[in-house]
Amino acid sequence: MSLDLSIRNITVFVTEKCNFSCSYCFQRERKNPKSMNWDTGKKLLDWYINTASENEKVLSFTFFGGEPLLEFQLIKQMVKYGNAKAEKAGKKIEFGATTNGSLFNQEVAAFWKENNMSLLLSVDGGEQSQNLQRISNNGKKSSELIEKNIPYILEAVPDCTVRMTVTQENQKHIVENLNYLYDKGFRSLAHYPVEAGWDDESLANLDKAYRAAANWYLKKLSLGEKVFMGLYSLIGRRLIEWNAMSDNEKQEVKAPCGAGKGYLGVSVDGKLFPCHRFVSLNDFKGRFLLGDIESGFNTKLRNQFVRITNKSSLGCHTSCQYCEARSICLGGCLVQNLMTSGDMLIPMPAQQFISTMYYETVKDIIELLESRNKKLLQKFLGNNVFESSEKGRESNIVMEPC
């Protein structure tokens, strides 16, 4: 069966500039940051709509940076033009953005709500954790810049997801930060560890922190609270699907990353990369540049990239083949691997530990709830996975974007 390479999801750098200097940001060392202009933005939308398959009626478009709201006027132009262009083509573009929230004022909120746009908010939690490593460039506490905008954010995007970055310094506050965000009104929460800097002791503490976070989530669900931590639910569904597969089926499951296939990252000057993380790899740009919006794809390079990365679960690095956690990561993030091991397909030991930590935490919860409280398990999984599995499971392990 041929591989579907129809583009349906792009993350677009409208600027490389940011008003924060977060200590763990993968773009913090960028020199001479630039921004996209309207001409490039318009050409990008034309290219995206024209390139997408006729069968793709709904396209995803995420504004990224830097801090994308530094280019709010450009975003308004692009959304207006994109909506009109897509409608004429019989398609719809679902626009959204990843933002630090500091510029999400009343004007931005009104525009977001009017255009039904999604939002991923990068906030680490309460004042102590937020100000520790998310530092504003103007000297003000970043927590104060965010807090004043929370009512606008929730009014415009009630189901906004908050992404917390977990580090060695703030991991002990993870439950405290979850409580802070929940009390502020956020109901979709996610937490991800930074990629580097972990030693054996800090990884052991991270394991304890993540189990505490999972227990916090379970307690909220058991009390009937409306809260969603999608990563736990996704991992749980993957595990159940994986365990129901035959060995032959497991060998055919592909890694969950859609980079270079249905998903792309686009730079401020309209260059095409496998994903948004590859856009920022200054040392490797020539190697992973797949084309541009003027001339389209370099088909040879794109096919080469897909062939290398489209590994099955048992085609990953040797260290992954006998790892139980491969059912949820199947080799991990390509860029993260490249930056730490020098090879897209070889994860570092710390990343393997983190994947195993996720796996064991969720596995323990599933085993506990299967015997004690299946209704709570269904809430934890986020869908009625038991009914679908009984009717002849349709595996959907592949996730886009990475």
Side-chain angles (χ1 to χ4, degrees):
M1 184 169 61
S2 62
L3 185 65
D4 180 11
L5 295 180
S6 176
I7 301 301
R8 51 192 170 274
N9 193 339
I10 63 174
T11 294
V12 178
F13 283 72
V14 285
T15 185
E16 298 167 343
K17 301 174 184 179
C18 191
N19 58 340
F20 280 17
S21 297
C22 302
S23 62
Y24 48 68
C25 180
F26 61 84
Q27 295 192 84
R28 65 184 179 274
E29 296 180 1
R30 185 181 288 278
K31 301 292 190 292
N32 302 315
K34 302 175 183 177
S35 295
M36 182 175 283
N37 58 42
W38 164 238
D39 183 59
T40 300
K42 180 176 179 294
K43 288 179 180 178
L44 168 60
L45 286 160
D46 290 338
W47 174 86
Y48 188 27
I49 293 169
N50 293 334
T51 301
S53 166
E54 290 185 8
N55 296 326
E56 298 293 346
K57 299 301 182 183
V58 180
L59 306 175
S60 177
F61 190 115
T62 301
F63 295 104
F64 200 74
E67 171 47 50
L69 289 178
L70 288 170
E71 294 296 330
F72 179 50
Q73 296 306 316
L74 176 62
I75 288 175
K76 288 198 296 183
Q77 283 182 286
M78 292 180 70
V79 169
K80 181 179 179 180
Y81 179 81
N83 283 336
K85 179 83 175 182
E87 185 176 4
K88 288 181 180 179
K91 299 180 184 296
K92 177 185 177 182
I93 299 180
E94 294 182 340
F95 287 101
T98 296
T99 176
N100 62 35
S102 63
L103 303 176
F104 204 96
N105 57 29
Q106 193 168 9
E107 179 189 1
V108 174
F111 178 81
W112 234 256
K113 188 173 184 179
E114 178 185 357
N115 289 280
N116 194 30
M117 296 171 66
S118 62
L119 198 70
L120 178 63
L121 179 65
S122 293
V123 172
D124 286 352
E127 181 176 352
Q128 182 177 0
S129 293
Q130 174 69 14
N131 294 330
L132 183 64
Q133 290 165 305
R134 298 186 67 80
I135 303 164
S136 68
N137 293 342
N138 63 6
K140 294 182 179 179
K141 292 181 178 180
S142 64
S143 60
E144 296 176 355
L145 298 176
I146 306 302
E147 191 141 339
K148 65 182 176 61
N149 290 334
I150 289 177
Y152 302 134
I153 292 169
L154 290 174
E155 169 64 22
V157 193
D159 59 351
C160 164
T161 295
V162 178
R163 184 196 191 281
M164 302 159 51
T165 298
V166 182
T167 67
Q168 292 187 48
E169 291 76 17
N170 68 19
Q171 60 181 325
K172 62 184 177 182
H173 301 295
I174 192 167
V175 171
E176 175 187 332
N177 290 328
L178 287 169
N179 279 323
Y180 168 82
L181 293 167
Y182 184 86
D183 291 343
K184 289 296 178 183
F186 295 104
R187 294 296 179 264
S188 179
L189 306 171
H191 51 79
Y192 295 88
V194 292
E195 298 167 357
W198 300 100
D199 54 27
D200 290 345
E201 181 180 357
S202 61
L203 284 173
N205 290 332
L206 182 67
D207 186 23
K208 294 177 184 177
Y210 269 54
R211 287 184 177 272
N215 287 331
W216 178 91
Y217 183 35
L218 276 182
K219 184 176 181 180
K220 288 292 185 185
L221 292 177
S222 68
L223 295 172
E225 302 283 359
K226 291 184 177 180
V227 63
F228 183 62
M229 298 184 73
L231 184 61
Y232 289 118
S233 299
L234 175 62
I235 291 173
R237 293 196 298 272
R238 281 185 180 170
L239 285 181
I240 289 177
E241 291 172 347
W242 181 268
N243 290 336
M245 290 179 182
S246 67
D247 289 341
N248 287 337
E249 286 177 317
K250 289 177 181 178
Q251 292 185 43
E252 296 302 318
V253 174
K254 303 300 182 183
C257 179
K261 299 187 278 288
Y263 176 58
L264 292 176
V266 185
S267 66
V268 293
D269 53 356
K271 291 184 171 62
L272 307 175
F273 294 88
C275 81
H276 65 290
R277 293 298 304 272
F278 281 101
V279 175
S280 301
L281 287 179
N282 294 321
D283 295 337
F284 297 92
K285 275 194 174 181
R287 180 177 168 189
F288 298 110
L289 176 61
L290 302 185
D292 60 66
I293 59 175
E294 295 279 1
S295 54
F297 286 115
N298 181 320
T299 303
K300 181 179 179 180
L301 289 179
R302 187 186 184 199
N303 289 343
Q304 182 182 38
F305 177 86
V306 171
R307 185 173 63 254
I308 292 171
T309 60
N310 195 45
K311 298 287 187 180
S312 69
S313 62
L314 297 184
C316 296
H317 186 250
T318 304
S319 63
C320 298
Q321 292 182 18
Y322 305 104
C323 174
E324 288 184 302
R326 76 182 190 278
S327 59
I328 64 170
C329 80
L330 297 174
C333 172
L334 300 173
V335 173
Q336 187 171 319
N337 292 346
L338 184 66
M339 293 178 67
T340 53
S341 73
D343 189 312
M344 292 187 292
L345 304 181
I346 302 179
M348 290 295 283
Q351 179 56 40
Q352 292 175 307
F353 178 94
I354 290 170
S355 294
T356 302
M357 175 189 70
Y358 279 126
Y359 169 83
E360 292 182 346
T361 298
V362 174
K363 180 173 70 71
D364 289 348
I365 289 172
I366 290 175
E367 290 176 352
L368 175 68
L369 296 183
E370 275 185 330
S371 61
R372 296 188 182 183
N373 194 333
K374 283 196 173 184
K375 286 187 177 180
L376 181 56
L377 178 57
Q378 289 180 23
K379 289 183 179 180
F380 179 77
L381 295 170
N383 72 347
N384 192 347
V385 71
F386 299 101
E387 181 180 350
S388 62
S389 63
E390 291 169 1
K391 292 181 179 179
R393 182 197 66 261
E394 294 182 5
S395 177
N396 186 28
I397 288 185
V398 174
M399 177 179 65
E400 294 181 1
C402 57

